Amino acid sequence: MPDGAEPVLDVRGLKTIFRTRGGEIHAVNSVSFHLRPGELLGVVGESGSGKSVTMMSLIGLLPSPPAEVRAGEVLLGGRDLLKLSPRDLQAVRGAKVGFVFQDPMTSLNPVFNVGNQIMEPLIKHMGMTKAQAETRAAELLALVGIPDAKKRLKSYPHQFSGGMRQRVMIAIALACDPDVLIADEPTTALDVTIQAQIIELIKELRQKLGMAIVWITHDLGVIAGIADRVMVMYGGQVVEQAPVRALFANPQHPYTRALLKTVPSLTGERAARLEVIEGQPPLLSGVPVACPFRARCAHAHDRCDAENPVRRAVDGKPVGQGHDVACHWSPEVANG
Amino acid sequence: MLSFTIRRLLAAIPTLLLISLVIFLLVDLAPGSPLSDIPLTVPPEVRQKMLAAMGADQPVMVRYVLWLKQFFWIEPLYGIDALFGTDFAQGAQRIISWQSKVPVFQIIGERLPQTLTVVGTAYLIGVLIALPIGIYSAYRQYSWFDQAGTFFAMAGFSVPTFFTGNILILIFAVNLGWFPTIYDTNLTVTDWASMKAMLLQMALPVTVLALFNAAEISRYTRSSVLENLGQDYVRTARAKGMGEGKVLLKHVLRNSLIPVVTVIALGLPTVFGGAIVTEQIFKINGIGAALIGAINVSDLPTVQTITFIFAVLIVMFNLIADILYGILDPRIRYD
């Protein structure tokens, strides 16, 4: 590893399909990425690009059937999670990998108080007694910035606001001090000021606890502010991957470039209309044999129809370590 | 919660008064006379005296107010007297059946145990088998277990009890001779032999009613569990590393039970009334049979009293369902 540290999470060639009446949907196609200790990896892409499905495949959270993880390796602490028995995988979920979901209004169980829900993983994974778990749960609530934590343990989810519920979700995800936190659009369902608070909270917790984070989002602005590295997904594939500065300074893939253009700017001349990417995301039925973006790509040529591009390095470092892109076209060649 | 319960109990009073009035007037409107059984050769003036002796010649509102007083004041006093050996009632006039000329509450007291043993047991068994079937059917949706469960539920729910009852009697009592065809009300359990006889005679009616109840409740349970299995909090529970047993029997079940509890609680009053048909088929001398008998001979006080007791039960179990709702779901705690 160039940065010296072994990755905490190393995903290689992950393929997930959904069996449907209309045939197989290739939702995740040969996705590879890794996560170094303490690193924050941003995953961007539009709805249906396979971001969430990829992350849920890692720890067996997809309902099977219809989902099936067909190939790949998910190495966490030297073990391949895809080869673990369901029982062993349960011991990983919540203990080594914490999950925060998009909608805090529905992600908590409405009929149990939040204390109960935070204590559950503590009792199961850390072998704590009820009393110990209660003390720890109060600490966790205080850690995520909920005042009067001890008293609030007895409160039910409906007695919290959306932002507070997301804080509770974060407390649950961090309860067992996981190596990896997967945050699946944790701020999408919240209003803007609350979004900023949650982002600040996760930044702060990352400094304190040092876990690695995968942050799935639509919001490139958020990614620019917090991520170390960015992975852009399209049509179930990784189309570009780079350190955050390199990606924003020198986007390679036409999709990434288009995505960056859609971000409205506060400074400079106000464009008449917001930029959009014309066309629809692809249907992922059948084994992908062509570039998934070709139908919407301004630079598409014959090769894009015939061959699905593989990731190639842009900056000379090995694929995955530096800046890489999966595209037959390159701006350098185009610009001469 | 306590103030809610008290408020609901107070609100039940006008409801019950209105129900009692409607029942009283409706039953009174029904054609027929308490003297239909008396031979036509009895002269009219004697008939008039007989009516006067029963109080049936009074205007309907007078009878209603009198009945109210008897139901809510005198009969409870008799109840207290019977329990504690006191003498509050002092021989006041009770609600008397026109047919048998004994107090209606005495008839109820004789008939209720029969109904409770058979129909109550059937309901309990029905609930106990319906819940696991419903939960497992939903968890393994479209599995062969679910398909079989769906089939039996549809069959149990759509085939009326008088049909299944007769079929079971034909097969198991007449052809195979395993069970008696008629329920012997006089049988009391004193030893193992009579215990066995009791269980044998209970088997068929309990099966018929349990099947019917289980069919309905298992369908409600299944659809409620199915709905909850797709919720986000289930994914959260799995993401926390909870085992499937805990996910299903703690997180999903508690949420799924909320609507099911209402169905179970509101179905309970039918234990007393709804089993009328089954009681007829198996010749169980229960409260349903008493009601049918009273209707047939225009025994108005008995019909009015038993019907009103059913109404009280329904209002009461409504209240119980609401309270259970509040206990199961913190979002609708009434305080």
Side-chain angles (χ1 to χ4, degrees), chain A residues 6-9 33-37 39 41 180 212-214 229:
Chain A
E6 280 288 309
V8 279
L9 177 70
F33 66 92
H34 64 274
L35 198 60
R36 296 189 195 97
E39 185 181 39
L41 174 70
V180 178
I213 301 176
V214 176
R229 256 183 328 123

Side-chain angles (χ1 to χ4, degrees), chain A residues 94-162:
Chain A
K96 304 274 178 219
V97 182
F99 237 104
V100 177
F101 296 104
Q102 180 173 344
D103 191 352
M105 308 309 275
T106 56
S107 291
L108 291 166
N109 193 328
V111 302
F112 294 105
N113 62 40
V114 299
N116 185 312
Q117 299 188 53
I118 303 174
M119 283 154 64
E120 260 186 340
L122 291 169
I123 293 168
K124 161 135 191 179
H125 300 302
M126 316 277 274
M128 288 188 182
T129 63
K130 245 185 140 174
Q132 289 170 324
E134 202 170 327
T135 314
R136 174 81 179 127
E139 287 170 18
L140 282 161
L141 271 194
L143 183 73
V144 295
I146 290 180
D148 208 3
K150 211 169 170 90
K151 230 165 135 190
R152 293 297 261 165
L153 287 178
K154 295 268 175 291
S155 298
Y156 289 89
H158 71 277
Q159 292 164 316
F160 289 89
S161 66

Side-chain angles (χ1 to χ4, degrees), chain A residues 212-236:
Chain A
I213 301 176
V214 176
W215 186 292
I216 303 176
T217 184
H218 296 295
D219 192 338
L220 285 167
V222 170
I223 286 295
I226 58 171
D228 299 315
R229 256 183 328 123
V230 187
M231 181 163 94
V232 182
M233 289 192 69
Y234 188 84

Side-chain angles (χ1 to χ4, degrees), chain A:
Chain A
M1 290 286 129
D3 287 10
E6 280 288 309
V8 279
L9 177 70
D10 197 353
V11 178
R12 296 173 189 162
L14 187 72
K15 264 184 208 273
T16 302
I17 57 134
F18 286 89
R19 289 173 195 278
T20 66
R21 273 162 205 254
E24 292 182 347
I25 302 293
H26 291 250
V28 177
N29 186 35
S30 297
V31 166
S32 301
F33 66 92
H34 64 274
L35 198 60
R36 296 189 195 97
E39 185 181 39
L40 197 153
L41 174 70
V43 181
V44 288
E46 64 197 303
S47 304
S49 59
K51 312 180 295 279
S52 301
V53 176
T54 302
M55 297 311 154
M56 303 232 264
S57 304
L58 301 185
I59 52 172
L61 268 186
L62 290 174
S64 174
E68 182 191 324
V69 179
R70 184 160 283 178
E73 284 182 317
V74 176
L75 298 170
L76 181 88
R79 285 193 300 177
D80 185 353
L81 298 188
L82 298 183
K83 293 204 174 70
L84 292 184
S85 68
R87 185 166 283 275
D88 289 339
L89 200 54
Q90 272 169 26
V92 172
R93 286 202 290 257
K96 304 274 178 219
V97 182
F99 237 104
V100 177
F101 296 104
Q102 180 173 344
D103 191 352
M105 308 309 275
T106 56
S107 291
L108 291 166
N109 193 328
V111 302
F112 294 105
N113 62 40
V114 299
N116 185 312
Q117 299 188 53
I118 303 174
M119 283 154 64
E120 260 186 340
L122 291 169
I123 293 168
K124 161 135 191 179
H125 300 302
M126 316 277 274
M128 288 188 182
T129 63
K130 245 185 140 174
Q132 289 170 324
E134 202 170 327
T135 314
R136 174 81 179 127
E139 287 170 18
L140 282 161
L141 271 194
L143 183 73
V144 295
I146 290 180
D148 208 3
K150 211 169 170 90
K151 230 165 135 190
R152 293 297 261 165
L153 287 178
K154 295 268 175 291
S155 298
Y156 289 89
H158 71 277
Q159 292 164 316
F160 289 89
S161 66
M164 291 295 226
R165 287 190 213 185
Q166 198 60 301
R167 285 172 192 264
V168 173
M169 276 301 291
I170 293 170
I172 292 173
L174 296 179
C176 301
D177 205 4
D179 300 328
V180 178
L181 174 71
I182 297 175
D184 188 352
E185 305 196 31
T187 58
T188 309
L190 305 171
D191 58 49
V192 181
T193 50
I194 308 296
Q195 279 186 16
Q197 289 175 15
I198 295 292
I199 291 167
E200 280 309 310
L201 173 69
I202 293 194
K203 267 181 166 173
E204 186 192 314
L205 290 174
R206 184 184 160 208
Q207 297 233 308
K208 264 190 213 163
L209 308 174
M211 71 283 185
I213 301 176
V214 176
W215 186 292
I216 303 176
T217 184
H218 296 295
D219 192 338
L220 285 167
V222 170
I223 286 295
I226 58 171
D228 299 315
R229 256 183 328 123
V230 187
M231 181 163 94
V232 182
M233 289 192 69
Y234 188 84
Q237 310 189 30
V238 178
V239 293
E240 186 163 2
Q241 189 273 133
V244 66
R245 280 169 188 280
L247 187 97
F248 280 89
N250 184 21
Q252 293 288 311
H253 198 280
Y255 177 64
T256 316
R257 296 169 151 236
L259 263 189
L260 289 173
K261 273 198 199 147
T262 59
V263 180
S265 169
L266 282 179
T267 55
E269 197 91 353
R270 187 176 155 189
R273 293 177 63 101
L274 282 177
E275 290 280 344
V276 292
I277 305 176
E278 294 292 342
Q280 294 288 320
L283 293 171
L284 299 172
S285 49
V287 182
V289 288
C291 175
F293 192 59
R294 68 191 184 285
R296 301 166 82 181
C297 181
H299 308 288
H301 49 281
D302 294 348
R303 199 178 165 202
C304 306
D305 285 323
E307 191 187 331
N308 193 0
V310 290
R311 285 161 70 180
R312 62 180 165 81
V314 173
D315 54 2
K317 292 183 186 169
V319 167
Q321 305 302 331
H323 189 167
D324 61 71
V325 64
C327 185
H328 295 309
W329 174 82
S330 87
E332 285 76 21
V333 175
N335 297 339

